[in-house]
């Protein structure tokens, strides 16, 4: 795998409440996370950082003690991997929720979290909120996650078009996040990947500023992943940069 990440506070916000995780070292799971925090008194950045730290530590710790691939049924191992991801999200949710209750300055904080774990020829996605995961394959782009937002719900009900979703004044109202309650529902999925696939994780600071086709063209036209990430940030800022922007790009080689 070849990968990179970039984050930027954008053109309007005074601080960056996004957080991300990349694998560090050769003997750790190929795990990638993007989180977009929310809350007053800068507590959004506390929530997003806690989500990234708790999810990554739980998954890294759990998978380091898993049995070898050749010692288990792949379907069974896949189910166990999804369970580990679910538990990681649950733990992160409870930690953020308790902190929001115990610390007055963190009251009401929460965060999105979207992650991708590459393991045994598959990518496992865990998702809460409106940060997104995409796959670019055969020069096309496909959104893998569904936004947990009011406007996405209206879109699925046929009451809004995709263009209306992008421009709607309530597009930032999310219906699911980590830390806002004692329990949270986590979206999970798995799919096989192949050589040449490109995966993108990003906060809505990117997708609110750029169409999917613009994102695709920037990534495919760039000379490197680093250049693609830089150009995505630059393009989002050129279109207004109304929010923090975080991107992670992973190329399967």
């Amino acid at each position: 795998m070849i990968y990179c990440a970039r984050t930027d506070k954008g053109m309007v916000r005074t601080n960056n409440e996004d957080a991300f995780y990349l694998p560090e070292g050769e003997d750790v799971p190929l795990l990638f996370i993007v989180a977009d925090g929310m809350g007053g008194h800068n507590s959004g950045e506390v929530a997003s950082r806690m989500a990234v730290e708790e999810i990554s530590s739980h998954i890294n710790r759990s998978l380091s003690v898993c049995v070898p691939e050749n010692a288990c049924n792949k379907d069974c191992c896949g189910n166990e991997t999804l369970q580990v991801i679910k538990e990681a999200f649950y733990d992160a949710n409870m930690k953020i929720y308790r902190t929001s209750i115990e610390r007055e300055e963190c009251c009401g904080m929460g965060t999105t979290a979207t992650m991708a774990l590459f393991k045994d020829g598959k990518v496992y996605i865990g998702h809460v909120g409106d940060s997104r995961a995409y796959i670019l394959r055969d020069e096309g782009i496909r959104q893998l996650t569904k936004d947990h937002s009011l406007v996405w719900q209206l879109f699925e009900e046929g009451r809004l078009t995709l263009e209306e979703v992008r421009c709607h004044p309530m597009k930032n109202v999310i219906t699911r996040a980590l830390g806002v309650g004692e329990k949270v529902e986590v979206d999970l999925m798995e799919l096989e990947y192949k050589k040449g696939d490109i995966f993108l994780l990003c906060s809505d600071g990117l997708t609110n500023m750029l169409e999917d086709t613009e994102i695709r063209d920037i990534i495919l036209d760039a000379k490197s992943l680093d250049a693609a990430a830089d150009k995505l940030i630059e393009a989002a800022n050129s279109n207004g940069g109304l929010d923090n922007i975080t991107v992670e790009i992973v190329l399967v080689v």
Side-chain angles (χ1 to χ4, degrees):
M1 301 286 180
I2 301 174
Y3 49 85
C4 71
R6 295 289 189 277
T7 189
D8 190 88
K9 67 182 179 64
M11 304 300 291
V12 175
R13 300 293 182 90
T14 58
N15 65 312
N16 193 341
E17 295 189 326
D18 287 358
F20 68 88
Y21 172 88
L22 292 177
E24 298 179 358
E26 297 181 357
D27 298 323
V28 296
L30 287 169
L31 172 65
F32 304 85
I33 311 171
V34 167
D36 180 357
M38 58 187 184
H41 304 289
N42 298 334
S43 59
E45 64 187 55
V46 176
S48 62
R49 184 174 64 251
M50 290 176 64
V52 165
E53 291 174 353
E54 186 65 28
I55 292 171
S56 62
S57 62
H58 184 107
I59 291 175
N60 290 339
R61 182 174 62 252
S62 298
L63 294 185
S64 68
V65 298
C66 283
V67 295
E69 177 184 353
N70 60 3
C72 67
N73 177 276
K74 284 194 173 183
D75 289 337
C76 175
C77 286
N79 291 335
E80 290 177 355
T81 299
L82 291 174
Q83 184 62 32
V84 166
I85 293 171
K86 184 185 294 186
E87 291 170 355
F89 273 75
Y90 287 171
D91 287 352
N93 179 74
M94 184 54 67
K95 185 172 182 178
I96 297 167
Y97 177 68
R98 286 175 176 168
T99 302
S100 72
I101 294 175
E102 295 167 358
R103 294 170 52 183
E104 182 178 355
E105 71 274 18
C106 293
C107 180
M109 73 176 181
T111 184
T112 72
T114 299
M115 55 136 291
L117 171 67
F118 294 83
K119 181 175 179 287
D120 303 335
K122 292 184 178 180
V123 58
Y124 297 86
I125 305 291
H127 169 63
V128 172
D130 63 353
S131 297
R132 293 179 178 177
Y134 289 90
I135 182 173
L136 285 78
R137 175 180 287 177
D138 300 328
E139 299 188 353
I141 185 170
R142 177 165 64 96
Q143 182 177 337
L144 297 175
T145 53
K146 294 182 179 180
D147 295 355
H148 300 139
S149 66
L150 176 62
V151 293
W152 193 266
Q153 181 177 324
L154 294 174
F155 164 69
E156 291 193 318
E157 293 172 356
R159 298 163 64 183
L160 290 177
T161 66
L162 275 177
E163 179 59 29
E164 289 171 332
V165 165
R166 185 169 179 268
C167 302
H168 200 281
M170 299 183 71
K171 63 185 177 184
N172 293 323
V173 178
I174 61 175
T175 56
R176 204 186 302 178
L178 294 180
V180 298
E182 293 187 21
K183 297 181 179 181
V184 67
E185 182 181 354
V186 184
D187 283 1
L188 300 168
M189 69 177 299
E190 63 178 280
L191 68 153
E192 295 182 355
Y193 60 81
K194 64 180 184 179
K195 183 178 180 180
D197 285 347
I198 301 174
F199 291 86
L200 169 69
L201 303 184
C202 60
S203 60
D204 67 345
L206 180 74
T207 54
N208 284 341
M209 296 293 101
L210 299 175
E211 300 279 2
D212 288 1
T213 52
E214 295 177 289
I215 294 172
R216 176 202 63 196
D217 292 345
I218 289 172
I219 293 175
L220 295 182
D221 291 344
K223 295 182 179 180
S224 68
L225 295 191
D226 287 316
D230 289 337
K231 288 181 180 296
L232 288 173
I233 297 289
E234 179 183 351
N237 279 329
S238 295
N239 284 355
L242 300 180
D243 200 354
N244 308 146
I245 312 151
T246 299
V247 300
E248 291 185 332
I249 308 175
V250 183
L251 170 63
V252 180
V253 294

